Amino acid sequence: MSSPASFSDREKVVSKLPGWLRQNLRVRAAQCGIDIQAAVEQGIRDWCDLASTVQTIDTSGADSFATLLPPGQWEEFRQIAADRRVSLIQGLAQSVQLWLDANPAPDVARPEITRRIIVCNQKGGVGKTAITAGLGEALSEDSNALYPVRVAKALAQALRASEAQGDDTEPVDDPLDIENLPGPGLKVLLVDFDPQCHLTNQLGATPLPMNGDSLTNHMAGEPKGDLRDLIVSVDEDVFGGRLHLLPACNDAFLLDVRLSAVRAREAALERALAPLESDYDVIIVDCPPSLGLSMDAAAYYGRRRDAERAGQSGALIVVQAEDSSADAYELLTTQIDDLRGDLQIDIDYLGIVVNLYDSRRGYIATSSLQGWVDIKDPRVVGLIGDLKEQKEAVRVKRALLSYAPKSQQAVGMRALAREVL
């Protein structure tokens, strides 16, 4: 098989393709990491080499399709199509379908051990819940569809851009590249571990009643049923049944008290969620702003297990670009480090997400962002702007990536998901 010609010496050709086939080509090329032009070139080459005709394709509704091919290939294709008494549109459609058949969609890469992500910070109001939801939504998007993703080739670019604008200037364009990429297609469980029930309410679910079953009951060793019966699906039309939520209950306000009487209380969350792990690729826990026993249990659940690679599970820390987040960060990391030492376990930091960022707030925002970037370990893996779409999604109780899938915040959540992956 000859290699595709370099793109610099190609010639532009224009024909037609039906919209469904063009979309399939875009998605499959992205899934396989192949340029569309190279895919079409290979499909035409294989079609020209066929010894027999192939099945006719419905090309009704075909509209303009342009691509770049090596010099001479289109003329050769035109001649072979004429010899076979096939229209150029039909021949091109058969060529594209031939390439699709030869390059099936890759299987979704599923982890051998369910990944457990603990979204945390002792300080309230930093947006842990929004990050939990956005990350889960991005991880569960369809692997057979394309979504705009901000490719974070250099977070420093965004930092430099923010430093270049003063308090009185308009925001500069996001300097990071945007690509259309397939969704990860993972099965995700979001766990609302906060008694305030913010995640449950934001996604339009109903908090569990105080007199019923709950995660708290299971952690305290007093279950009233199967935890699976409490789980609800999130926006099935958009996420295809891959995104689920374990709602919270106000009884979690009493969790620390109830855990104080539980044996091996640091493993209480793991004991409760372990039966669910075979159903999911990723479990994301939205932690309360607490340094109590519940946070110990969450951190322990995110520890690195035997045979699990470093960085697969662990703590994702959400902060803002302001001074009080730094104080809370120190309290949280001290607690996690103490737990590491006391129990002799490995708890990995998956990174820092700087949330609700707005460079127009001036020196405090930009210098604080620089401070987070300078930490290096854990590194900054996400920068999410303080924009209206997230607030609107919360108001209408919708998932952000369903409500505003092309917004800058949605694009940033997808970038975060790929950094965590």
Side-chain angles (χ1 to χ4, degrees):
M1 180 185 298
S2 61
S3 60
S6 65
F7 293 151
S8 61
D9 57 2
R10 290 173 176 248
E11 59 183 8
K12 182 177 181 179
V13 298
V14 179
S15 184
K16 290 185 177 182
L17 269 183
W20 64 267
L21 187 56
R22 185 168 59 251
Q23 179 64 14
N24 289 348
L25 173 62
R26 287 188 183 124
V27 172
R28 190 68 52 79
Q31 290 173 328
C32 297
I34 297 173
D35 190 279
I36 290 178
Q37 297 168 11
V40 175
E41 175 191 342
Q42 185 61 56
I44 290 176
R45 183 182 297 115
D46 292 342
W47 185 84
C48 290
D49 290 342
L50 289 175
S52 59
T53 58
V54 297
Q55 184 177 359
T56 300
I57 293 175
D58 181 6
T59 59
S60 58
D63 52 19
S64 181
F65 174 78
T67 188
L68 298 173
L69 296 175
Q73 186 181 43
W74 187 247
E75 286 305 315
E76 178 189 6
F77 169 72
R78 289 169 63 95
Q79 184 60 53
I80 293 176
D83 293 343
R84 295 177 180 174
R85 297 182 179 181
V86 173
S87 70
L88 292 178
I89 297 174
Q90 181 63 215
L92 181 59
Q94 292 180 8
S95 300
V96 170
Q97 187 61 56
L98 192 65
W99 182 85
L100 290 170
D101 293 341
N103 295 270
D107 293 333
V108 173
R110 305 198 180 281
E112 294 182 5
I113 300 175
T114 299
R115 300 181 66 173
R116 302 157 322 281
I117 300 174
I118 311 305
V119 181
C120 50
N121 193 329
Q122 184 272 340
K123 183 178 184 296
V126 296
K128 295 186 295 294
T129 297
I131 297 301
T132 299
L135 176 59
E137 293 160 23
L139 289 173
S140 61
E141 285 187 314
D142 191 355
S143 61
N144 291 310
L146 298 180
Y147 305 91
V149 181
R150 186 180 70 197
V151 183
K153 294 180 180 178
L155 184 62
Q157 286 183 295
L159 178 60
R160 286 197 297 270
S162 66
E163 289 177 335
Q165 60 187 40
D167 294 347
D168 300 325
T169 60
E170 292 297 321
V172 299
D173 291 337
D174 189 338
L176 304 185
D177 293 338
I178 303 292
E179 290 185 11
N180 289 317
L181 300 175
L186 299 176
K187 298 176 182 177
V188 179
L189 174 65
L190 304 176
V191 177
D192 193 346
F193 196 42
D194 189 338
Q196 299 173 90
C197 306
H198 289 320
L199 180 62
T200 301
N201 289 322
Q202 284 187 20
L203 293 177
T206 302
L208 299 172
M210 287 287 287
N211 59 351
D213 202 8
S214 66
L215 177 59
T216 299
N217 289 336
H218 284 256
M219 291 179 65
E222 300 171 354
K224 297 182 179 181
D226 190 332
L227 202 58
R228 284 186 178 85
D229 294 338
L230 306 179
I231 293 173
V232 297
S233 183
V234 177
D235 209 336
E236 288 199 19
D237 290 343
V238 174
F239 302 106
R242 293 177 297 274
L243 181 62
H244 291 167
L245 168 70
L246 177 57
C249 177
N250 292 137
D251 67 357
F253 279 114
L254 304 174
L255 180 57
D256 280 8
V257 174
R258 296 180 69 178
L259 283 181
S260 64
V262 173
R263 186 177 181 181
R265 55 182 177 255
E266 69 279 351
L269 182 60
E270 180 165 300
R271 288 195 297 268
L273 296 180
L276 306 178
E277 290 182 5
S278 61
D279 299 336
Y280 298 98
D281 300 310
V282 184
I283 295 179
I284 308 176
V285 180
D286 182 25
C287 294
S290 167
L291 293 176
L293 298 179
S294 56
M295 188 59 222
D296 280 348
Y300 183 86
Y301 183 59
R303 80 191 189 286
R304 191 192 315 162
R305 294 178 180 172
D306 293 341
E308 187 173 22
R309 291 188 293 111
Q312 295 296 289
S313 298
L316 184 67
I317 303 175
V318 182
V319 300
Q320 289 183 348
E322 40 76 41
D323 295 339
S324 61
S325 279
D327 297 334
Y329 170 82
E330 294 293 338
L331 291 172
L332 175 65
T333 53
T334 297
Q335 180 179 9
I336 291 176
D337 291 343
D338 287 346
L339 198 64
R340 280 169 161 174
D342 293 344
L343 300 179
Q344 294 298 295
I345 57 176
D346 291 316
I347 302 174
D348 296 326
Y349 291 113
L350 302 181
I352 296 171
V353 181
V354 181
N355 191 32
L356 300 172
Y357 179 71
D358 186 350
S359 61
R360 290 175 298 182
R361 293 178 181 142
Y363 175 73
I364 291 178
T366 57
S367 61
S368 295
L369 174 59
Q370 182 65 64
W372 293 119
V373 171
D374 288 343
I375 289 177
K376 307 297 184 186
D377 184 20
R379 65 188 181 91
V380 173
V381 293
L383 179 64
I384 308 297
D386 185 8
L387 302 171
K388 65 182 179 66
E389 286 80 8
Q390 177 64 56
K391 298 180 179 67
E392 292 173 351
V394 170
R395 173 64 62 87
V396 298
K397 299 185 182 300
R398 291 272 305 279
L400 170 66
L401 274 65
S402 169
Y403 173 76
K406 296 182 179 180
S407 65
Q408 288 188 35
Q409 287 169 318
V411 170
M413 292 294 186
R414 296 187 186 105
L416 170 62
R418 282 158 176 78
E419 287 291 315
V420 171
L421 285 176

